[in-house]
Amino acid sequence: MLASSGSFAAGNFRADKVYFGASEAVPEPVAVTVSPPLGLRDPKRPVRGRDALLGQVEAGLSAAGNQWVQVLCGLGGSGKTTVALELVSRRLARSERVWWVDARQETTLEAGLRSVARQAGASEDELRSGDTADVLWSCLARYERPWLLVVDNADDPALLDGPGRLSEGTGWIRPSAASRGSVLVTTRDSSRQTWGGACTLHPVHPLTGEDVTDAARILRDHAGDTAGPWDDARLLARRLGGLPLALRLAGAYLADANEVPAPYREPDTPVDFRSYQAALDRGLEYVDRDNVIAQTWAMSLQLLDQRGLPLARPLLRLIATFADAPLPYTLLLTPRTLADAGELAQLDGRGVWSLLTALAGLGLVDLQPATRSDALPTLRVHPLVRDASLDHGALGTAVEALHSAALAPETGIPEELDYWEHWALLQPHALDLFHRVVGSEPSDQTIAAATAANLAARHLYVKGLYGQACDEFEAVLAHRRVTLGDTHPHTLATWYELAGALRELGEAERAREEFEAILTHRRVILGDTHPHTLATRYELALVLRELGEVERARGELEAVLAHERDVLGDTHQSTLDTRYELAGTLTELGEVERAREELEAVLAHERDVLGDTHPSALTTRHGLAWVLRELGEVGRAREELEAIFAHRRAILGDTHPHTLTTRHSLALVRHELGEVGWAREELEAILAHRRAILGDTHPHTLATRISLAGLRQPRAVD
């Protein structure tokens, strides 16, 4: 296993290097300028979306007695130099002295600093001494005018060490000891370990968020008003991830394209925001004509290669292969999930973490900490980094990693409340990868992807997203029928889950057909009393009840219950579920007292094992509250339904079908207690949600419409 490499700061010193200033190694003169590149700043195009950042950095540079170096750090192309130039322009307007040193190469960096030292008053003799860095800062400390030293593109901070250490304040760049001077650095490296305690880091993020108006304005600043409406500009700005470099290039591309007369353009040349986005969706190469954007990320990866982290490149390619959604890296990127990931398989846990933090340090990924003690940390990738890093050859590795994570004990199963967040994060990646590989020849890879996708669909079902779950189950089922056959246990499991989703969607007749077919297979393969056969009979009984065959449903549930008690025991959750549904059937048949006894017994077991607020216990409590209402205990029913409603909102959300069911029951109970106006408003809100989620013809939607119609009817007058 490959252990993580040491910290970058610890490897900065190069013992064999001889620095300029030593009498025996005076460098050849290098032509440089230390004047700010003001030609890069266009006064007609104002800096967008950076007012708060400019204020923060300006305050840091201007603070009385401030000795801290101000560092603008962020992803390549995020606009660090643009912000620095805006700050320089303000300083020049106040007649302050500004020096601008390019730190991309060692020779130009050192020659630039020599020039600054000379202009700050150092003599040639002093510059030939062996302590040139000390001379530079001594001269700056004595400089009489207010000054600003900008060190731009310091993406390899090792170059700033010079004869000492940047992080220790003894390198080429140091905190200013002079009250009249300040230092500003731009860099891709946002690691606090690199910069030490004497630097204030100012992250420069892309212009993202809910409102991308500033990013859209940059597009229009460069493209002009003829490239499309504001809404299209906002959509493209969001697709470009709000990255200023990409926004500027896109705008310039469209401006250039529109200057060419239509007959002279290539047929597919984008000429507006919408067509540019369409071209980008086909591939970055269609719009990145000079490879500028891709080269931006390549430079960052080259830095990591130089730092002894060559595996950062394949890891980023793997990360880019997953869906454009928060990635739970502690589940998906571990030594176990990477065990079959080629060169990445040699990484141990510290090695993986070292690569992730190195990628984050250069802004290539964004590590988001967990928001709660029981939550998972995630990472995001800028959409253009994803576009430039995407490698279809990594698809198989991503599938294997996801399959391993999906089946790991610490991931849990979608139905367990404690693991819902795990599956909320894994679900988009599982479904995305499945749909990308399902069209290829059936293989172990497609089978593994189908396994993860089936689990993700179960998560959708648990969350009450029955329509989406149904679509995904159908896709997985089609694949499993081809690869495994109709009667394979995995095929039957997906088929069963699809039928359950159909029942929840109100498609009772189709669900009945599916369950009857599944039951035939399971009886032949497993026998009448196997738990899977009994589960199918249980689901079929629920469908029969929904179709009006209540007596037949009762008989089937009683038969299933007898077998489950023998096979699974009285307190198994499947047995308790059957007792709960039998109680509901008894309620429909008018045997309310017996239903109450059953529900109270079931609830006692669930409270002992699961707790009072587990989703299963809440379902039983809801059924018992409705029975209390049937028995005339309306006030007690109201109290219980209000408590259940509060729990379901907190656990499931406002619009989960189960939450809406409790809300509907509560509205009817409060209507019976005389709160007619309140009940009407509630039912109208419930109807809107059910129409949006379940559709106009779903039985639950129709039930709400009927209840609401009953409230709207005028009362009879005696």
Side-chain angles (χ1 to χ4, degrees):
M1 302 292 278
L2 178 68
S4 62
S5 61
S7 71
F8 171 59
N12 281 343
F13 179 70
R14 296 188 286 262
D16 59 342
K17 180 177 176 182
V18 179
Y19 292 92
F20 86 79
S23 58
E24 66 274 22
V26 177
E28 292 295 324
V30 176
V32 294
T33 177
V34 289
S35 296
L38 295 175
L40 297 177
R41 178 178 178 271
D42 185 350
K44 297 178 182 178
R45 294 184 176 126
V47 178
R48 304 287 191 184
R50 301 301 192 192
D51 290 347
L53 176 62
L54 286 165
Q56 292 168 6
V57 181
E58 185 63 64
L61 293 171
S62 305
N66 171 59
Q67 295 185 350
W68 288 43
V69 176
Q70 306 300 309
V71 180
L72 290 167
C73 53
L75 181 67
S78 59
K80 303 178 292 293
T81 298
T82 299
V83 172
L85 280 171
E86 183 64 22
L87 292 164
V88 164
S89 176
R90 297 178 182 183
R91 291 298 177 105
L92 292 173
R94 299 197 295 264
S95 299
E96 296 184 15
R97 185 64 185 266
V98 176
W99 293 288
W100 186 285
V101 176
D102 187 339
R104 282 176 290 188
Q105 296 179 1
E106 185 174 26
T107 53
T108 55
L109 168 67
E110 295 183 355
L113 292 172
R114 281 175 61 88
S115 180
V116 172
R118 185 181 296 108
Q119 294 182 23
S123 67
E124 290 301 323
D125 286 341
E126 287 176 313
L127 291 177
R128 282 194 292 269
S129 67
D131 57 351
T132 313
D134 293 339
V135 170
L136 167 66
W137 289 99
S138 176
C139 290
L140 289 174
R142 298 192 303 269
Y143 199 75
E144 294 182 356
R145 287 174 57 189
W147 57 266
L148 171 65
L149 171 60
V150 180
V151 180
D152 191 33
N153 290 313
D155 299 327
D156 185 359
L159 301 182
L160 304 183
D161 278 348
R165 285 281 179 84
L166 169 69
S167 60
E168 295 175 0
T170 59
W172 284 120
I173 301 304
R174 306 177 183 180
S176 172
S179 60
R180 294 179 299 278
S182 49
V183 182
L184 177 64
V185 177
T186 74
T187 179
R188 301 181 188 207
D189 194 323
S190 60
S191 169
R192 292 191 177 277
Q193 184 179 8
T194 298
W195 296 100
C199 297
T200 301
L201 302 187
H202 300 277
V204 184
H205 299 293
L207 298 169
T208 54
E210 290 299 320
D211 184 4
V212 292
T213 299
D214 287 318
R217 283 177 176 154
I218 294 175
L219 274 174
R220 290 176 69 91
D221 285 344
H222 290 273
D225 296 334
T226 61
W230 271 106
D231 286 346
D232 288 353
R234 289 188 179 94
L235 288 173
L236 177 55
R238 188 170 282 112
R239 175 62 178 85
L240 293 170
L243 189 73
L245 171 65
L247 297 167
R248 179 178 61 80
L249 291 175
Y253 181 107
L254 294 173
D256 289 347
N258 282 296
E259 287 182 359
V260 179
Y264 300 129
R265 293 187 207 128
E266 292 295 326
D268 295 329
T269 300
V271 293
D272 56 27
F273 300 129
R274 184 170 296 187
S275 58
Y276 188 97
Q277 181 167 343
L280 177 59
D281 289 340
R282 292 198 302 272
L284 183 60
E285 65 274 13
Y286 288 97
V287 293
D288 190 14
R289 293 180 295 186
D290 299 321
N291 209 31
V292 175
I293 296 174
Q295 188 60 29
T296 300
W297 321 137
M299 289 169 61
S300 295
L301 290 169
Q302 287 166 9
L303 282 172
L304 294 179
D305 288 342
Q306 294 167 16
R307 296 178 186 182
L309 298 171
L311 293 181
R313 193 181 298 269
L315 182 62
L316 181 61
R317 285 199 295 264
L318 174 60
I319 291 169
T321 307
F322 290 104
D324 185 11
L327 188 78
Y329 57 87
T330 56
L331 290 180
L332 276 172
L333 303 176
T334 67
R336 187 191 64 254
T337 62
L338 299 176
D340 297 319
E343 56 192 331
L344 296 176
Q346 60 187 296
L347 292 167
D348 61 9
R350 287 172 59 89
V352 175
W353 180 240
S354 175
L355 294 178
L356 288 174
T357 53
L359 288 168
L362 294 182
L364 293 170
V365 302
D366 183 16
L367 298 179
Q368 297 290 335
T371 55
R372 304 184 314 275
S373 60
D374 59 341
L376 292 174
T378 59
L379 67 78
R380 291 300 300 259
V381 184
H382 189 281
L384 294 182
V385 176
R386 179 182 306 284
D387 291 339
S389 307
L390 188 59
D391 177 5
H392 295 293
L395 191 58
T397 302
V399 169
E400 290 299 326
L402 180 66
H403 182 258
S404 177
L407 299 182
E410 59 267 27
T411 301
I413 60 174
E415 291 77 15
E416 292 184 14
L417 180 61
D418 290 344
Y419 300 106
W420 280 6
E421 183 181 10
H422 292 191
W423 280 101
L425 292 168
L426 288 174
Q427 170 250 313
H429 302 289
L431 298 179
D432 178 72
L433 288 175
F434 171 68
H435 287 293
R436 286 159 62 191
V437 304
V438 72
S440 57
E441 286 295 318
S443 62
D444 290 345
Q445 183 184 113
T446 63
I447 291 171
T451 298
N454 195 76
L455 289 163
R458 283 164 54 183
H459 167 74
L460 292 173
Y461 179 91
V462 169
K463 296 296 288 183
L465 302 172
Y466 304 128
Q468 294 178 45
C470 187
D471 292 342
E472 301 302 339
F473 283 136
E474 285 182 327
V476 174
L477 178 60
H479 176 268
R480 284 183 160 174
R481 278 178 158 152
V482 171
T483 56
L484 304 176
D486 276 356
T487 59
H488 189 280
H490 292 176
T491 307
L492 290 173
T494 303
W495 195 356
Y496 170 87
E497 287 149 355
L498 170 61
L502 290 169
R503 181 178 69 79
E504 293 289 0
L505 285 171
E507 298 185 36
E509 284 291 358
R510 186 180 164 196
R512 176 179 184 165
E513 293 174 6
E514 303 293 355
F515 278 127
E516 286 176 342
I518 297 162
L519 181 58
T520 299
H521 289 304
R522 281 183 162 171
R523 275 180 159 149
V524 170
I525 298 168
L526 302 173
D528 272 354
T529 59
H530 189 280
H532 291 178
T533 307
L534 295 176
T536 309
R537 293 177 65 185
Y538 161 88
E539 288 285 350
L540 183 56
L542 301 189
V543 172
L544 292 172
R545 188 178 68 194
E546 290 169 10
L547 290 170
E549 300 181 39
V550 185
E551 281 289 359
R552 186 178 168 193
R554 172 184 180 165
E556 190 66 5
L557 286 170
E558 287 177 338
V560 169
L561 179 59
H563 287 306
E564 286 179 335
R565 278 178 157 150
D566 288 342
V567 176
L568 302 174
D570 276 351
T571 60
H572 191 279
Q573 190 57 49
S574 294
T575 308
L576 296 176
D577 289 342
T578 303
R579 292 179 69 182
Y580 168 83
E581 294 296 350
L582 179 58
T585 306
L586 293 172
T587 301
E588 288 194 29
L589 292 170
E591 299 182 36
V592 186
E593 281 291 354
R594 186 182 163 195
R596 176 178 184 168
E597 293 172 5
E598 280 293 299
L599 291 170
E600 286 176 340
V602 170
L603 184 57
H605 286 300
E606 289 178 335
R607 277 177 163 151
D608 286 344
V609 177
L610 304 174
D612 213 33
T613 60
H614 188 278
S616 294
L618 291 174
T619 297
T620 306
R621 288 175 64 184
H622 181 276
L624 182 56
W626 194 248
V627 165
L628 292 173
R629 177 250 188 193
E630 292 287 311
L631 292 170
E633 299 182 39
V634 184
R636 187 177 166 196
R638 172 184 173 166
E639 292 176 5
E640 185 66 357
L641 287 170
E642 285 177 336
I644 297 163
F645 181 45
H647 289 308
R648 279 186 159 169
R649 288 179 89 172
I651 297 170
L652 303 176
D654 280 349
T655 59
H656 190 286
H658 293 179
T659 307
L660 294 175
T661 295
T662 302
R663 191 175 178 184
H664 182 268
S665 299
L666 180 58
L668 297 183
V669 166
R670 291 184 67 168
H671 170 253
E672 291 182 21
L673 292 170
E675 300 180 51
V676 180
W678 186 93
R680 181 182 296 109
E681 291 178 4
E682 279 294 283
L683 289 171
E684 286 173 345
I686 295 163
L687 180 59
H689 287 308
R690 282 183 160 170
R691 276 179 162 154
I693 297 167
L694 302 173
D696 279 345
T697 60
H698 190 281
H700 292 178
T701 307
L702 296 175
T704 306
R705 290 179 64 186
I706 291 169
S707 297
L708 189 56
L711 293 185
R712 288 170 175 164
Q713 288 178 357
R715 295 180 178 230
V717 179
D718 293 336

